[in-house]
Amino acid sequence: RLAFDPSAPDLAADNAWSPVKVRTDGLPPVIEAQVMEPVRELMTLPAKTLKQPQPGHWLFDMGQNMVGVPRLTLNAPAGTRVTIKFAEMLDPDGTIYTTNYRGAKSTDTYICRGDGPETWQPRFTFHGYRYVELTGLPTPPSIDAVQGVVLGSDTRSVGSFECSDPRINQLWSNIRWGQRGNFLSVPTDCPQRDERLGWTGDAQVFIGTAVYNADVAAFFTKWLVDVDDAQRPEGPYTNTVPNPSMDESGASGWSDAGVICPWTIYHTYGDKRQLARHLPGMMKWVDWSRAHSTNLIRDHDRGSDFGDWLSIGASTSKELLGTAYFAHCADLVSRSAKALGDEANAAKYAALFEDIKVAFRKKYFAADGSMVDGTQTTYALSLAFDLLPEGDRAAAAQRLADDVKAKGDHLSTGFLGVSYLLPALANHGQADIAYRLLFQDSFPSWLFSIKHGATTIWERWDGWTPEKGFQDAGMNSFNHYSLGSCGQWMYSSVAGIAQAPGESGFGRLAVKPLVGGGLSHVAASYDSIRGKIATAWHVKDGQLALDVTVPANVVATITVPTASPADVAESGVPAAKASGVKAAGTPSGSASFEVGSGTYHFTAKAP
């Protein structure tokens, strides 16, 4: 932490700054070189509109909720004191709404030199905002007086997604902007208010989407060291990293980030070093969870116990959530140990996973196929974490679909359930219901905020509604990526860019696009660790065209959904006879083919 003497005549002079103060929390200080990309200026946005909602208050709309600083270009007399304020939203009278910033003043001040047009932007800070308000100017400014400088960790963009529905394209953009703004040295929860913390629960629910959007290998390599550094000696991971309070740890779905995030980075990039470095801490957390359970049910010592945070119209048992995540982490630890060749620990934690599943089913699963609470999150997690017998999975998915339909095709999941909802439906014969949820634009839904002008993901489904206006300002961010974790499903299912089961590092693909939902076309790409993967499908006049690009040294099983599997062609030749294409079966309503690297053009009768 640096500090300077504001009375010093030249703040650039060395003697104006004090030495760095190192916080150790009683631990030996360890300084490591930063491995992640630095925070940089990523782009500059021009203001879209300039208005004067009150005399002397000049309001610039950047057209995009963003994270960064403004760049001012002013021409005013010497000594003119310009006050700059920021906001994500406007009050009904058109003035800036800042109540949700809580204690954050989010105000900059600039005193003009008066020597002609002068340009300035703040340093040593950042803001979350869409709107910039200037006051103190003696004359009206021009619209180019303010530009928005976007700041963020300079992680390389690797994903693209585009489809025939502009609302879904905006959703994808909102997800991207939420990640761009909140991946700033650490994965923060929000950029605007007096918080900006690296909440572990938010990071673990979103990491599956994050890896498709950007190359975050180095970003998470650095942050996961922070996660281990903050882990309490007895086992629980902290709820925020870096962690301002060592007492805040052990929450279900939050502490589990210490297992889920290293596994996801390994699964995406095939980097076993992540598992080797973090497996001891991962095992320690699972062992602690076992010691703080009763008959393998996580019924106590769950820390802050946030539950399915900000769920809407539903309340999932926190004990059930804790047990489900306990099981999932045991499974991931087993798989991690196996990937490292540690067969003893792989077997140990695989057996623990099976034992937790038995306890879970006995406690929460009824003979008629129903579950305790029966919330969407209950069914989604049970299916996603493989906690139900194979023979009961379809019935559970049907109950999940029935709940969605009973709510008028609306979701009710919070942070912990939202990323698993669409896959749980689509992977178990309920793709039509998944698409209904994706395209729903009435409250609560992903498209509700977009219908009302959102350019980033909101913290809560009801951050603003026409009936009630703004939610409680105590916790109401309009740039909070967690609920945007549906992005992973858009890439992996809608576009079909996914790994084959049991694979890591995208060495083998399972391309199975989810054609339907009223979409006429989808095009997506992902620049994986092995090269660029691209898919594009188009439906017109009852015919499906599917283009797939497979990078070098990669094998893909491509499943073409069709009403006539025998008639699938590749580049105009019957697919079974096409060069480099090997028939791999005819699953219901589709035909599968195994291919190597190259670009393929399949045509078929649309499903």
Side-chain angles (χ1 to χ4, degrees):
R1 182 168 64 88
L2 297 176
F4 63 84
D5 177 4
S7 64
D10 181 6
L11 296 182
D14 291 344
N15 61 7
W17 294 84
S18 71
V20 173
K21 295 182 179 179
V22 179
R23 171 182 164 178
T24 65
D25 292 320
L27 301 174
V30 177
I31 298 177
E32 298 185 17
Q34 178 166 294
V35 299
M36 62 181 285
E37 299 86 352
V39 172
R40 291 191 173 106
E41 295 183 5
L42 303 179
M43 65 184 78
T44 303
L45 303 180
K48 299 295 185 182
T49 64
L50 170 59
K51 297 180 180 179
Q52 186 182 197
Q54 294 176 299
H57 291 245
W58 301 101
L59 183 66
F60 296 79
D61 179 1
M62 309 312 298
Q64 172 65 55
N65 201 13
M66 54 168 283
V67 175
V69 294
R71 178 177 295 150
L72 306 185
T73 302
L74 302 174
N75 193 350
T80 299
R81 186 183 186 91
V82 181
T83 301
I84 309 109
K85 293 188 176 182
F86 305 87
E88 297 180 293
M89 301 284 278
L90 300 179
D91 273 318
D93 63 358
T95 59
I96 57 173
Y97 172 75
T98 59
T99 312
N100 68 318
Y101 283 42
R102 304 192 309 202
K105 295 180 179 179
S106 198
T107 301
D108 297 328
T109 303
Y110 179 68
I111 299 175
C112 296
R113 297 190 307 270
D115 56 357
E118 49 194 291
T119 300
W120 173 81
Q121 69 186 56
R123 300 176 65 191
F124 304 112
T125 191
F126 66 92
H127 302 282
Y129 67 96
R130 172 173 173 169
Y131 301 96
V132 180
E133 180 195 74
L134 302 186
T135 56
L137 290 170
T139 58
S142 63
I143 193 171
D144 57 0
V146 173
Q147 292 180 307
V149 179
V150 179
L151 301 176
S153 291
D154 194 11
T155 55
R156 180 175 62 93
S157 176
V158 295
S160 67
F161 183 95
E162 186 273 333
C163 71
S164 55
D165 191 320
R167 301 173 303 165
I168 304 302
N169 295 335
Q170 185 64 52
L171 173 61
W172 178 78
S173 175
N174 290 10
I175 293 168
R176 294 264 298 185
W177 274 98
Q179 178 172 337
R180 180 179 288 124
N182 281 295
F183 277 28
L184 201 155
S185 289
V186 298
T188 60
D189 60 326
C190 57
Q192 73 296 98
R193 66 188 181 215
D194 53 349
E195 187 171 352
R196 298 169 167 183
L197 294 174
W199 284 96
T200 48
D202 303 49
Q204 70 89 359
V205 300
F206 189 75
I207 189 172
T209 296
V211 295
Y212 274 108
N213 284 334
D215 180 354
V216 293
F219 181 85
F220 273 98
T221 293
K222 181 266 182 188
W223 187 69
L224 287 172
V225 174
D226 296 342
V227 171
D228 274 6
D229 288 346
Q231 185 178 20
R232 297 184 66 175
E234 61 270 27
Y237 291 100
T238 55
N239 300 338
T240 58
V241 174
N243 182 45
S245 170
M246 290 300 287
D247 293 330
E248 290 293 319
S249 64
S252 301
W254 274 254
S255 269
D256 303 289
V259 173
I260 293 170
C261 291
W263 171 261
T264 303
I265 294 302
Y266 161 71
H267 183 247
T268 303
Y269 303 106
D271 186 355
K272 293 183 180 180
R273 294 172 300 176
Q274 294 301 316
L275 299 183
R277 177 160 191 168
H278 301 293
L279 185 58
M282 296 160 68
M283 292 191 294
K284 186 183 292 187
W285 162 240
V286 172
D287 292 344
W288 187 91
S289 296
R290 182 174 191 168
H292 291 258
S293 299
T294 302
N295 298 323
L296 301 181
I297 297 297
R298 288 284 289 115
D299 58 354
H300 61 278
D301 296 338
R302 296 189 301 268
S304 300
D305 216 8
F306 303 111
D308 190 22
W309 190 246
L310 297 180
S311 59
I312 192 87
S315 180
T316 302
S317 161
K318 294 180 179 180
E319 178 189 277
L320 182 151
L321 289 170
T323 306
Y325 268 97
F326 175 29
H328 185 47
C329 284
D331 182 30
L332 294 185
V333 166
S334 173
R335 290 195 250 172
S336 298
K338 186 174 181 63
L340 293 172
D342 183 350
E343 297 297 336
N345 277 316
K348 171 186 173 181
Y349 289 97
L352 176 60
F353 174 51
E354 293 300 324
D355 290 343
I356 301 170
K357 286 168 64 174
V358 171
F360 181 89
R361 292 195 292 263
K362 182 178 179 180
K363 183 73 182 284
Y364 305 116
F365 191 65
D368 64 356
S370 64
M371 298 190 68
V372 169
D373 293 339
T375 65
Q376 293 176 15
T377 292
T378 294
Y379 286 110
L381 291 186
S382 299
L383 290 166
F385 294 169
D386 191 25
L387 302 179
L388 302 180
E390 184 63 36
D392 294 316
R393 294 171 70 83
Q398 184 61 58
R399 289 181 180 274
L400 172 58
D402 290 342
D403 186 85
V404 172
K405 288 185 282 188
K407 290 180 168 59
D409 294 336
H410 289 94
L411 49 73
S412 62
T413 49
F415 278 26
L416 297 187
V418 67
S419 62
Y420 300 106
L421 178 59
L422 298 177
L425 289 164
N427 294 343
H428 296 90
Q430 302 291 340
D432 58 329
I433 304 299
Y435 267 129
R436 285 191 214 172
L437 283 174
L438 183 66
F439 293 120
Q440 178 63 261
D441 67 359
S442 61
F443 173 80
S445 68
W446 284 286
L447 298 187
F448 171 77
S449 63
I450 289 171
K451 186 168 67 173
H452 292 286
T455 60
T456 44
I457 299 295
W458 293 356
E459 178 176 18
R460 45 198 317 155
W461 302 114
D462 57 351
W464 179 91
T465 62
E467 297 80 14
K468 297 182 179 180
F470 292 111
Q471 245 288 357
D472 179 2
M475 191 183 67
N476 195 23
S477 163
F478 292 96
N479 189 354
H480 205 110
Y481 54 67
S482 300
L483 297 180
S485 53
C486 59
Q488 179 180 6
W489 184 77
M490 293 165 65
Y491 281 107
S492 63
S493 290
V494 178
I497 299 177
Q499 299 195 65
E503 292 294 319
S504 64
F506 283 86
R508 190 175 186 94
L509 309 180
V511 177
K512 187 179 179 181
L514 194 60
V515 176
L519 293 172
S520 62
H521 77 263
V522 169
S525 67
Y526 171 58
D527 192 2
S528 76
I529 193 70
R530 294 178 180 267
K532 187 173 183 179
I533 305 164
T535 64
W537 58 262
H538 186 275
V539 176
K540 185 177 181 180
D541 299 329
Q543 293 296 307
L544 168 68
L546 171 62
D547 295 309
V548 180
T549 298
V550 180
N553 302 314
V554 173
V555 174
T557 299
I558 300 174
T559 300
V560 182
T562 177
S564 182
D567 297 327
V568 178
E570 196 283 310
S571 298
V573 178
K577 299 179 180 180
S579 176
V581 177
K582 179 182 177 182
T586 54
S588 178
S590 61
S592 293
F593 306 92
E594 187 172 292
V595 303
S597 61
T599 297
Y600 301 88
H601 177 69
F602 291 93
T603 53
K605 185 176 180 180

